Amino acid sequence: AKAAAVAKKLTKSTKSKKGTRIHTKVHFYRTPTLSLDRKPKYAPRSVPRKSTKHSYNVIKYPLTTESSMKLIEDSNTLVFIVDIKANKRQIKQAVKDLYQIECDKVNTLITPRGLKKAYVRLSKDYDALDVANRVGVI
């Protein structure tokens, strides 16, 4: 029993295992350190961005070409040149705000010249010819 105890003492290491760590991954990952919030001395933008949501900024002007006149007469559709960044919902809302008319749907395309053209199909309650006269297209 005494010999076994001495043998156990000799095989046991005197160094502590606290300092060594078993690495199970191949790559070394840096431990996360304290990240403080930024406290800027001045605003990142000197001038606030201009809002393009306003109706007057969305619709630039109505188109008065022969093909657009044909659309007004035949398919109850008005054609506008609109802001390049405006989406269909914004165009629909702008038409409603500016001309007090309801529209069924809006189709858009970007011309080779870089303009956005919007085909606004009016609902059955409104006549595109009357609206075009009021707007000043015809």
Side-chain angles (χ1 to χ4, degrees):
K2 207 172 190 184
V6 170
K8 195 174 186 184
K9 238 182 199 177
L10 286 172
T11 55
K12 198 173 184 187
S13 174
T14 54
K15 290 183 182 176
S16 68
K17 283 220 170 189
K18 194 176 180 189
T20 59
R21 192 171 135 235
I22 298 165
H23 291 279
T24 54
K25 294 184 177 127
V26 179
H27 299 284
F28 173 76
Y29 292 98
R30 197 169 60 184
T31 56
T33 56
L34 178 69
S35 58
L36 298 168
D37 290 337
R38 289 184 174 195
K39 296 184 188 104
K41 300 274 189 284
Y42 55 89
R45 291 185 68 82
S46 59
V47 179
R49 285 199 173 107
K50 191 181 83 169
S51 174
T52 57
K53 299 273 190 281
H54 198 275
S55 300
Y56 291 108
N57 293 346
V58 173
I59 293 177
K60 291 182 179 175
Y61 53 90
L63 211 61
T64 57
T65 57
E66 281 183 39
S67 59
S68 66
M69 292 301 159
K70 187 167 170 49
L71 283 170
I72 289 171
E73 291 162 13
D74 296 347
S75 60
N76 205 30
T77 303
L78 292 171
V79 185
F80 295 100
I81 297 295
V82 295
D83 182 52
I84 195 83
K85 291 180 181 172
N87 60 35
K88 292 182 182 185
R89 288 189 193 90
Q90 288 170 341
I91 294 165
K92 195 171 186 178
Q93 189 60 44
V95 168
K96 187 178 180 182
D97 291 346
L98 294 176
Y99 306 118
Q100 293 82 41
I101 51 175
E102 291 290 325
C103 52
D104 279 345
K105 68 175 187 173
V106 176
N107 290 343
T108 59
L109 64 88
I110 295 176
T111 64
R113 288 176 59 194
L115 301 170
K116 186 178 263 192
K117 198 188 286 189
Y119 295 94
V120 179
R121 178 84 179 264
L122 303 186
S123 61
K124 298 277 184 246
D125 307 335
Y126 300 95
D127 184 37
L129 253 165
D130 296 339
V131 176
N133 282 330
R134 195 176 54 178
V135 171
V137 175
I138 301 171

